[in-house]
Amino acid sequence: EAKKRGRGSYEFFDVELRERIQRELRLEQDLREAVLADQLWVAYQPVVDVETGRTIAVEGLMRWEHPTHGAISPVEFIPLAEESDLINVIGDFMLHTTTAEIASQRRLHDVDLRLTVNLSAKQLDDPTLVPSVRKALERTGLPPEALCLEITESALVREPEAAAQVLRALRSLGVRLAIDDFGTGYSAFAQLWRLPLDTLKIDQSFVAGLDKPDSDAVAIVTGIVNTAHAMKLTVIAEGTETEQQVAVLKELGCDQAQGYYFGRPVPAWRLFPLR
Ligand code: C2E
Ligand code: MG
Ligand code: MG
Ligand code: MG
């Protein structure tokens, strides 16, 4: 079919590709300005204790309100930012904004709420990362043990030795470290074993299968929870949406959970009163 249409279909494809690249270039330029124009903000999602249902921590998730396109998902703009130094700029914005907001909410409500922030692989290569985390803690007074940094598996497998070194430097500041979206990358437990991690977050694709009768999810999550516990890691289930999933997670001994069932990402002030 495509062959029969000949040149026309190639032209059509070129137009589509060109439009996509142009949109990406425009968005990248817009994102550069977004930081200064106050279009970025942070939504926080509760992380709860599976046993008690109480909120232990919140994960900061970046939000971009574009002046003409409206809300743009981080799934779209984070990869764009990762293609340049921009990820370091907005990553730094995240660190400083989230530590300031959560430190101030902790004081205001007198609660021991922890904060988790996502780091991109590229930020691990940035020599200013560790000093920047230290500065954010000093400036806001957030205790280091109240901050957890999340890294995806792919960030660790690319250059495991270099990544491990940065993780050790972060750990020596007193912050905690988590591996995000576990199960979607290529890392094996054997690789994680050597890293100074505290927490493992099970990817939402496995959690979604927990209440489906003919899925392998229960067996997979059982394996992850047991192995993680043997490695002294705290386990968090991501994307928990139903009561049934929570019941299974409780039975499997998963420590903490996060998802729409417990709460959607919201502006900092809307987290209160905490559950
Ligand atoms: P993530 O770190 O794995 O964050 C969890 C994502 O799952 C969030 O999407 C969250 O809104 C969504 N989620 C939470 N509960 C549920 C649920 O019950 N069901 C479903 N279907 N989804 C749920 P979001 O906010 O769109 O962020 C997507 C990804 O973008 C994040 O995945 C993270 O990888 C990245 N991201 C967000 N903010 C930042 C940031 O500040 N820095 C970096 N490097 N990446 C970020
Ligand atoms: Mg995360
Ligand atoms: Mg995740
Ligand atoms: Mg994810």
Side-chain angles (χ1 to χ4, degrees):
E1 239 300 90
K3 212 172 179 182
K4 246 193 289 170
R5 272 189 274 127
R7 272 195 74 211
S9 62
Y10 286 103
E11 275 169 17
F12 175 71
F13 186 71
D14 279 350
V15 169
E16 226 177 39
L17 188 65
R18 190 164 60 233
E19 278 174 358
R20 206 185 73 211
I21 291 169
Q22 275 169 353
R23 173 178 159 95
E24 285 182 0
L25 286 174
R26 253 196 320 268
L27 277 186
E28 197 201 310
Q29 188 50 44
D30 291 352
L31 186 54
R32 234 167 245 288
E33 287 157 20
V35 187
L36 301 170
D38 227 13
Q39 293 160 14
L40 298 181
W41 63 281
V42 185
Y44 297 89
Q45 184 176 40
V47 178
V48 309
D49 181 311
V50 171
E51 274 303 318
T52 64
R54 303 195 60 153
T55 304
I56 296 174
V58 290
E59 177 174 7
L61 295 159
M62 205 177 318
R63 296 290 178 259
W64 180 14
E65 192 62 33
H66 189 283
T68 54
H69 303 300
I72 298 182
S73 165
V75 175
E76 181 170 16
F77 72 77
I78 296 286
L80 276 186
E82 283 172 339
E83 286 170 16
S84 65
D85 65 305
L86 199 48
I87 189 64
N88 296 321
V89 177
I90 64 177
D92 213 47
F93 161 88
M94 267 308 273
L95 277 171
H96 284 86
T97 305
T98 54
T99 51
E101 288 190 334
I102 296 307
S104 112
Q105 295 295 328
R106 281 166 58 98
R107 280 191 282 267
L108 188 61
H109 300 278
D110 193 25
V111 286
D112 183 19
L113 185 65
R114 296 191 202 150
L115 165 68
T116 82
V117 180
N118 296 284
L119 288 186
S120 155
K122 254 197 130 172
Q123 287 178 272
L124 294 183
D125 302 335
D126 178 1
T128 68
L129 175 70
V130 178
S132 185
V133 171
R134 187 195 299 119
K135 199 194 274 170
L137 294 170
E138 279 168 7
R139 266 178 34 179
T140 61
L142 187 74
E145 64 275 13
L147 177 64
C148 177
L149 299 172
E150 296 186 4
I151 301 120
T152 57
E153 289 173 81
S154 49
L156 301 176
V157 291
R158 224 178 22 130
E159 274 191 76
E161 231 356 274
Q165 210 172 328
V166 179
L167 296 192
R168 284 192 291 268
L170 290 169
R171 232 319 180 60
S172 68
L173 296 177
V175 305
R176 297 174 206 241
L177 300 170
I179 181 144
D180 201 359
D181 302 344
F182 185 79
T184 57
Y186 302 98
S187 63
F189 275 113
Q191 282 172 289
L192 300 184
W193 179 246
R194 307 165 53 232
L195 297 170
L197 300 170
D198 303 274
T199 301
L200 182 151
K201 299 186 78 167
I202 302 177
D203 190 69
Q204 54 189 52
S205 55
F206 301 110
V207 179
L210 288 181
D211 53 5
K212 297 189 178 59
D214 49 353
S215 127
D216 296 328
V218 174
I220 295 168
V221 173
T222 303
I224 296 177
V225 170
N226 292 340
T227 315
H229 281 167
M231 292 167 67
K232 306 265 188 298
L233 298 174
T234 299
V235 185
I236 304 181
E238 302 193 80
T240 309
E241 293 184 352
T242 69
E243 201 176 338
Q244 177 66 20
Q245 290 165 359
V246 179
V248 177
L249 288 169
K250 213 182 271 189
E251 205 176 295
L252 299 184
C254 181
D255 306 294
Q256 298 167 19
Q258 187 179 346
Y260 297 162
Y261 178 78
F262 297 106
R264 292 194 174 246
V266 293
W269 63 271
R270 279 202 43 206
L271 290 164
F272 298 90
L274 292 180
R275 305 226 245 173

